[in-house]
Amino acid sequence: MMSRVTTATLLEMKERGEKITLLTAYDYPSARLLDEAGIDILLVGDSLGNVVLGYENTLPVTMEESLHHTKAVARGAKRAMVVGDMPFLSYQTTVADAVLNAGRYLKEAGAHCVKLEGGREHAEVVRALVEAGIPVMGHLGLTPQSVHVFGGHRVQGRTEEAAQRLIEDALILEEAGISSLVLECIPAELGKEVTARLRIPTLSCGAGPYCDGQVMVLHDMLGVTGKKVPKFVKQYANLHDIIMDALATFKKEVAEGVFPGPEHCY
């Protein structure tokens, strides 16, 4: 049995120049498949809201919903690190709220780390979580919980001023104690510079090829939804069409009395 991926494992991978893989997972069967495939990190993202629960964006996701799905993923992951994505307003109110909510991911859900969005404004929260023994993954660039502030899903860090602020935020978060950092929807060269400046691993979600690892939403990369995906997503399969063909065949065979056949009957 392979040993569990930890924050120390990820740091060693960065030092060796070995790329890290992170995919989202929201349930037990997906977690088992990703774990068997050797994916390093399973993120129970607040993308749960869009992908699984049918919300317009990530903002409505609750702690209870997130914990419920994290528990299922943790039961399926034997090797991969499981990261719980803290929902909107679970850590932005007070430091005490953040510690109590983050602790639930480890204590109740079986996660190994939590992820939170934002920069220097959350440095105090990061310090408190780390002091409480809770590993933290940071997230800069396009942070979906701030979608209304950004005015939509737009590439961040395009201006010199914005790029410099992002670099400063990354360094502040690293000093505060994050163990890894997701960079979402920023120019590739900025991703390269941040990666070079940090000791901790960076994970690219549309931040170019120079980061220490790559992030994608599972349903996007497998082509499950049949919807348009972001530019940075590569679709490795088109499961939507495969599933629709299977469903259409099932409906047709039931209507025509082909299924069930003799081999399916007792």
Side-chain angles (χ1 to χ4, degrees):
M1 182 178 177
M2 298 187 71
S3 58
R4 174 77 69 181
V5 174
T6 66
T7 55
T9 309
L10 301 181
L11 189 58
E12 291 165 3
M13 291 176 73
K14 178 183 176 86
E15 291 170 351
R16 293 194 301 265
E18 183 179 345
K19 294 293 187 178
I20 300 163
T21 51
L22 185 158
L23 289 173
T24 60
Y26 312 106
D27 55 37
Y28 174 76
S30 296
R32 286 195 62 183
L33 289 169
L34 298 183
D35 202 57
E36 186 178 339
I39 302 303
D40 301 305
I41 307 172
L42 308 189
L43 171 65
V44 189
D46 60 3
S47 50
L48 165 72
N50 315 71
V51 176
V52 175
L53 300 180
Y55 297 141
E56 183 178 349
N57 53 46
T58 66
L59 299 181
V61 176
T62 66
M63 276 292 299
E64 299 309 318
E65 288 168 337
S66 183
L67 288 169
H68 174 80
H69 287 268
T70 303
K71 290 176 184 178
V73 170
R75 287 192 286 267
K78 305 305 178 188
R79 171 190 171 271
M81 172 189 286
V82 176
V83 180
D85 201 0
M86 297 188 70
F88 182 58
L89 291 186
S90 66
Y91 60 93
Q92 293 99 330
T93 50
T94 67
V95 173
D97 284 347
V99 173
L100 287 172
N101 287 327
R104 295 185 67 191
Y105 281 96
L106 277 64
K107 186 178 179 66
E108 299 176 29
H112 311 109
C113 179
V114 298
K115 182 176 79 65
L116 54 82
E117 299 180 4
R120 65 195 71 190
E121 67 276 15
H122 296 309
E124 183 183 1
V125 168
V126 171
R127 289 191 189 93
L129 296 184
V130 174
E131 287 173 5
I134 303 168
V136 180
M137 176 182 287
H139 185 158
L140 292 174
L142 174 61
T143 48
Q145 291 177 17
S146 302
V147 64
H148 294 313
V149 175
F150 294 143
H153 293 84
R154 300 178 179 179
V155 176
Q156 302 298 305
R158 285 189 182 276
T159 67
E160 184 176 345
E161 180 183 358
Q164 185 57 41
R165 182 176 177 86
L166 190 144
I167 293 168
E168 291 172 0
D169 278 341
L171 291 168
I172 290 168
L173 289 174
E174 180 180 58
E175 187 277 330
I178 61 169
S179 54
S180 56
L181 178 64
V182 171
L183 297 170
E184 181 167 355
C185 287
I186 64 172
E189 286 301 317
L190 179 55
K192 182 179 183 179
E193 183 170 356
V194 174
T195 301
R197 296 281 293 272
L198 298 183
R199 293 180 301 100
I200 60 170
T202 59
L203 301 160
S204 167
C205 184
Y210 307 110
C211 294
D212 300 303
Q214 295 294 323
V215 179
M216 275 201 286
V217 171
L218 180 66
H219 292 62
D220 287 346
M221 62 91 69
L222 292 180
V224 173
T225 63
K227 297 178 181 178
K228 184 180 178 181
V229 297
K231 177 182 179 179
F232 61 82
V233 172
K234 178 176 180 178
Q235 290 194 303
Y236 286 81
N238 182 4
L239 296 190
H240 175 268
D241 288 358
I242 294 172
I243 292 169
M244 292 307 295
D245 285 346
L247 296 176
T249 301
F250 167 71
K251 181 175 175 62
K252 181 174 182 290
E253 290 191 356
V254 170
E256 295 175 353
V258 175
F259 176 81
E263 69 274 26
H264 305 118
C265 299
Y266 296 100

